[in-house]
């Protein structure tokens, strides 16, 4: 009998992280209910949005080019519409030179 393997998060990944906000219209500042992983994505989105506000010269298009992450992917992450993968977060951290993932060290994302 073949063992079934399930990804961490299971069915939780069928809904976007924003859907776990008590008030999705307040994303990324809304309170998250019931899904700890959505709170992590919310922190990443919050930190990314703050970095972009602090650098008005850095557009989504420019960040996409610097990070090798698609502009739409960055926009979806900011909107809470998608679950980012580790490589995406690492590339964004390296391009920005700051940690987005709670507890990460942006300088350690050295390889793709």
């Amino acid at each position: 009998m073949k063992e079934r393997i399930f990804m961490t998060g299971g069915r939780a990944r069928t809904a976007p992280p924003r859907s776990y906000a008590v008030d999705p219209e307040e994303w990324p500042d809304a309170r998250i209910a019931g899904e700890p992983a959505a709170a992590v994505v919310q922190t990443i989105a919050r930190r990314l949005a703050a970095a972009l506000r602090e650098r008005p010269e850095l557009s989504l298009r420019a960040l996409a080019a610097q990070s090798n992450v698609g502009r739409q992917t960055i926009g979806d992450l900011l909107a809470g519409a998608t679950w980012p993968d580790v490589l995406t977060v690492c590339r964004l951290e390296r391009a920005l030179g700051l940690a987005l993932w709670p507890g990460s060290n942006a300088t350690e994302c050295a390889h793709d």
Side-chain angles (χ1 to χ4, degrees):
M1 182 175 182
K2 198 171 198 177
E3 182 180 340
R4 294 183 76 184
I5 299 172
F6 295 94
M7 286 183 58
T8 303
R11 293 185 178 273
R13 300 302 179 266
T14 61
R18 177 187 181 122
S19 69
Y20 293 96
V22 173
D23 182 358
E25 294 302 313
E26 294 296 317
W27 179 270
D29 298 314
R31 189 170 59 82
I32 298 293
E35 179 54 51
V40 172
V41 175
Q42 181 184 47
T43 298
I44 294 168
R46 225 186 265 141
R47 290 177 180 177
L48 178 57
L52 289 169
R53 276 193 307 275
E54 290 170 9
R55 302 175 192 181
E57 75 285 355
L58 187 61
S59 66
L60 288 185
R61 187 178 310 274
L63 179 57
Q66 289 178 16
S67 65
N68 201 26
V69 173
R71 184 191 53 78
Q72 185 65 49
T73 299
I74 297 169
D76 287 346
L77 171 57
L78 287 167
T82 189
W83 297 93
D85 61 27
V86 175
L87 181 58
T88 296
V89 175
C90 187
R91 286 178 172 173
L92 291 170
E93 286 183 337
R94 190 173 55 214
L96 293 167
L98 60 91
L100 298 174
W101 183 272
S104 77
N105 181 344
T107 62
E108 292 179 0
C109 284
H111 302 287
D112 286 354

